[in-house]
Amino acid sequence: MAVLSKPITEPKSELSLIPVIDISNPESKYALVKACEDFGFFKVINHGVSTELVSVLEHETVEFFSLPKSEKTQVAGYPFGYGSRTIGRNGDVGWVEYLLMNANLDSGSAPLFPGLSQNPATFRNVLEEYITSVRKMTCHVLEMITDGLGIKQTNTLSKLVSDQNTDSILRLNHYPPCPLIKKKTNGGKNVIGFGEHTDPQIISVLRSNNTCGLQINLADGSWISVPPDHSSFFFNVGDSLQVMTNGRFKSVRHRVLANCKKSRVSMIYFAGPSLTQRIAPLTCLMDKEDEMLYEEFTWSEYRSSAYNSRLSDNRLQQFERKTINHNKLLLKI
Ligand code: OGA
Ligand code: NI
C-alpha cells in the first residue's frame, strides 16, 4: 500500500469551483468547452441515465467485492479482470481493489464479465445496460463539446467512441475503509487509494457513491477535493482529447485518498477510440499560424506507452514536438 511520505496539506475547499453542467440545456455547450479548458473536469446533471440502473450496478458491484478473496482472484487477470493493491505492472500500489472490463459491446470477442456474482446474469445485464446508457450520454456530451467548439461535423469526437472497434473500458473500484489512517504509527499521514495520474483515453466518466476521496489538480498545482455526488456524473478530459485540441483542453491530474471509515465505490467508463485511430491535433481547430504541439500517434501506440509507464508519469511528454520551443526562441532573437 502506498503511504505518502509527508502529510498532505488540507486541500483548498473551493468546491464551488467545479463546474456543474446541465446537459439537457443545449446552451450548456459553451460552459462545457470552458470547463474542459479551465479544469479538464466537470460535473454533469440532468444526464438521463436511470438512477435505478446506477443503484442496481452499485449493488452488484458491492456484492462482487464482498465475495471471499479466493473467489475474486479466480477472475484476476491483466489487463482485464480483478486486481488488488497493484495498479498496472510498473510498481504502482494503492488502497484499492478493482475489476477492469472491456466496454466494447460490439466486439466479436467476448467481453469479460465476471461470472462470480450471486446472480451472474443480472450483473452482466446491468453492466451492459450501464455501458450502453453511459456511452450514449458520453456521445451526447462529446457532440455538445464539438458544437461548442464550432466544429461543423458534430460527430467528430463521438464517432471515435461509438466506433465498433472502440477500445473503451469499464473500471469498478472499491476503496475499503483504511484503518491505517487512524493508527498513531502512521503519524496521521494520508494513504493513497489511487495515485495521481491523468487518464489516457478521450474522456472518462465517473460515478461514485457518496464517499469522498477524489481530488483534482488545478492549473496552479494545488489539489481540491471533489465533493461526492452519487446522482451525478463527473467527466474528465483524457490525454487523447488534450492532443486533439492541441492543448486547449487539459487532461486533468487526479487521485483518490483512502478514507478511514467509509468504503468508496466508483465506476469509471473510459471512452477510447479504436486501436488504429490516429490521434493528432484537429486541423479544423487550428489557425494557419498555430503550431502542432504534439507528434501524431495511434491510440495503440499511446496505450502501449501508457501501459509501460508509472501512474504519475507525464505520458504525453514524449509526444510533444521538440521543435516548438526552438522555433519560438528563434523568433525572439
Ligand atoms: C481511475 C480513477 C477514481 C476513483 O480509475 O482512473 O481515477 O474515484 N478513479 O476511483
Ligand atoms: Ni483516473
Side-chain angles (χ1 to χ4, degrees), residues 194 197-199 236 254 270:
F194 208 114
H197 65 283
T198 57
D199 293 341
N236 62 262
H254 53 285
F270 300 93

Side-chain angles (χ1 to χ4, degrees), residues 1-17:
M1 137 233 20
V3 178
L4 289 180
S5 53
K6 55 176 194 266
I8 293 178
T9 44
E10 220 20 64
K12 281 188 205 163
S13 78
E14 292 165 85
L15 306 175
S16 52
L17 271 179

Side-chain angles (χ1 to χ4, degrees), residues 171 173 175 194 197 199 206 214 254 256 264 266 268 270:
R171 176 174 205 128
N173 286 335
Y175 303 89
F194 208 114
H197 65 283
D199 293 341
L206 176 143
L214 180 64
H254 53 285
V256 177
R264 176 176 168 87
S266 56
I268 306 107
F270 300 93

Side-chain angles (χ1 to χ4, degrees), residues 42-55:
F42 53 90
K43 170 165 137 172
V44 155
I45 56 168
N46 291 333
H47 44 69
V49 177
S50 146
T51 316
E52 206 205 325
L53 173 63
V54 172
S55 328

Side-chain angles (χ1 to χ4, degrees), residues 293-311:
L293 300 179
Y294 303 96
E295 303 289 352
E296 169 177 331
F297 49 81
T298 63
W299 168 242
S300 164
E301 284 165 341
Y302 194 62
R303 193 184 74 162
S304 317
S305 104
Y307 278 176
N308 289 321
S309 61
R310 296 287 302 254
L311 268 182

